[in-house]
Amino acid sequence: MAAPPRRGVLGALAAVAVAAIVGGAVPQPAQAGSDTPGPFAQRDDARALARAIDSAEGWDDGWAQRWIAQARWDRRARQFVLPPPPTAFKNWAAYRARFIEPRRIAAGVRFWDTHAPTLARAEAEYGVPAAVIVGIIGVETLYGQHRGQHRTLDVLTTLALDFPAEHPRAAARQAFFQGELRAFLRLARASGTAPDAWRSSYAGAMGLPQFMPSSWLAHAVDYDGDGRIDLTASAADAIGSVARFLHAHGWQRGMPARYAVTPPPPGEGLQTLLGPDIRPTFALAQVRALGAVPEPAAEGHAGPLALVLLQNGDPDAGGAPPTYVLGTANFYALTRYNQSSYYAMAVLDLGEAVAQARAAR
């Protein structure tokens, strides 16, 4: 998983938590430091959740009950979903360096060269530049080299039933993973591949583009025309699905994703612009009126903008000043893939670096 905090791709079923199915009787998030619980097959809460999923999906054969009973508790998944301490400063320069580096750029060039016709087709159909698609797959999995080795059934069952209580949004996150577990069991059943055969990240994100199960169901596309969707082995399916996801989440053809900007000095104008965070809110004239100076390329931009702040470490401990950009609706669309401005910036910078490397040959 690429960005802090990482949730994987969010999809339509995320809002349809199994909590609603069982009338609000949601298992409480597991307490910090709890010992490994007994097998899911012997737990009342696991059996109740499985029955609720079977009932909601109309599975008379007990599909959910059969597979949830076979899930294994994954301690690492519980550890990895916890956010860093709230006092920790992020560091955009260090984060960027993890992804915009020679090995990943070279792999991106090879990926683009190999799949250039498919990337061009996706750009023509969905309006998403090839560089953005290449950037996402490169940041997510290094073009398929790092897809995750957790059993998807295990991590989703663990996080659906034993999400760590110390997480600041534990209840909401546990409900989310209950919805993702339901989506995964539906996906596995429809695909004909047994649930225990799937592999993913520590949070259940799968394949080259690291789609969560609900997003796989809602947005994945058979882009190579072989009659099946395979985001693990088919680069074409991954390319088409990434483009389709961004298009569905508001990507606008021909619009830049961000502009350089000089922020206002500290004060009311800066705080006003930072208030909405990454959600585009201000017209270009408002941005200027509040004291920011956009780059000339932003002249004539018609849509709303957001002033995006990226920390570069603790300024009181030798950290550099923050980096600022103006994010457009397309920048915001990227954060629907992963709700992190650092992630969106890394995707854009990597895609541009790969494009430049190809052009320079």
Side-chain angles (χ1 to χ4, degrees):
M1 298 270 178
R6 176 65 186 167
R7 287 157 297 280
V9 178
L10 305 182
L13 284 181
V16 189
V18 177
I21 300 171
V22 297
V26 186
Q28 292 301 304
Q31 295 301 311
S34 60
D35 294 331
T36 302
F40 288 115
Q42 300 175 13
R43 289 175 50 174
D44 290 342
D45 58 348
R47 289 194 289 262
L49 181 61
R51 288 193 299 268
I53 294 174
D54 278 332
S55 176
E57 294 289 341
W59 293 332
D60 296 333
D61 59 357
W63 174 261
Q65 295 174 67
R66 171 189 171 190
W67 286 108
I68 288 177
Q70 296 182 48
R72 306 167 187 164
W73 204 73
D74 192 320
R75 182 184 300 275
R76 291 182 304 160
R78 295 188 70 247
Q79 295 170 340
F80 293 159
V81 296
L82 289 172
T87 55
F89 277 83
K90 296 177 182 178
N91 190 320
W92 161 237
Y95 182 80
R96 183 185 187 278
R98 291 168 50 194
F99 300 105
I100 292 75
E101 48 85 25
R103 183 170 73 111
R104 202 173 300 253
I105 293 170
V109 170
R110 292 192 297 271
F111 182 86
W112 197 329
D113 285 347
T114 302
H115 303 291
T118 306
L119 288 161
R121 174 186 161 206
E123 181 168 348
E125 291 185 5
Y126 295 107
V128 180
V132 171
I133 301 171
V134 169
I136 284 179
I137 296 175
V139 169
E140 291 289 350
T141 61
L142 215 171
Y143 307 101
Q145 296 182 43
H146 300 155
R147 303 180 198 185
Q149 294 301 316
H150 293 256
R151 290 205 326 169
T152 312
L153 175 66
D154 298 344
V155 298
L156 292 178
T157 302
T158 299
L159 298 175
L161 289 163
D162 293 324
F163 196 87
E166 61 269 37
H167 192 286
R169 298 179 57 240
R173 298 306 295 157
Q174 179 157 332
F176 167 79
F177 282 109
Q178 289 176 2
E180 291 300 331
L181 175 59
R182 174 183 172 184
F184 170 66
L185 291 170
R186 181 192 295 177
L187 173 61
R189 186 181 179 101
S191 73
T193 301
D196 60 353
W198 297 67
R199 297 295 182 269
S200 68
S201 72
Y202 65 83
M206 300 177 293
L208 277 82
Q210 292 289 275
F211 269 25
M212 292 299 288
S214 61
S215 287
W216 190 311
L217 290 172
H219 302 295
V221 62
D222 173 18
Y223 217 54
D224 59 13
D226 67 353
R228 59 193 295 267
I229 297 172
D230 186 355
L231 301 185
T232 298
S234 172
D237 288 0
I239 288 166
S241 298
V242 167
R244 187 173 185 231
F245 178 95
L246 291 175
H247 176 76
H249 286 79
W251 186 276
Q252 298 182 37
R253 185 185 301 270
M255 176 184 288
R258 68 358 186 156
Y259 299 106
V261 64
T262 301
E268 184 176 348
L270 179 61
Q271 293 308 310
T272 299
L273 285 170
L274 292 176
D277 195 23
I278 57 178
R279 182 179 294 276
T281 304
F282 303 97
L284 183 61
Q286 292 176 299
V287 170
R288 290 193 174 112
L290 289 165
V293 182
E295 66 168 310
E299 187 66 35
H301 181 86
L305 297 162
L307 183 64
V308 178
L309 179 152
L310 301 106
Q311 296 171 339
N312 284 305
D314 184 353
D316 294 330
T323 296
Y324 292 89
V325 298
L326 282 178
T328 71
N330 283 352
F331 189 94
Y332 188 73
L334 281 173
T335 65
R336 301 310 86 198
Y337 203 103
N338 181 312
Q339 294 180 19
S340 164
S341 55
Y342 297 77
Y343 172 87
M345 285 287 288
V347 163
L348 294 169
D349 283 5
L350 176 60
E352 290 173 358
V354 173
Q356 291 167 4
R358 290 185 80 232
R361 291 179 305 183

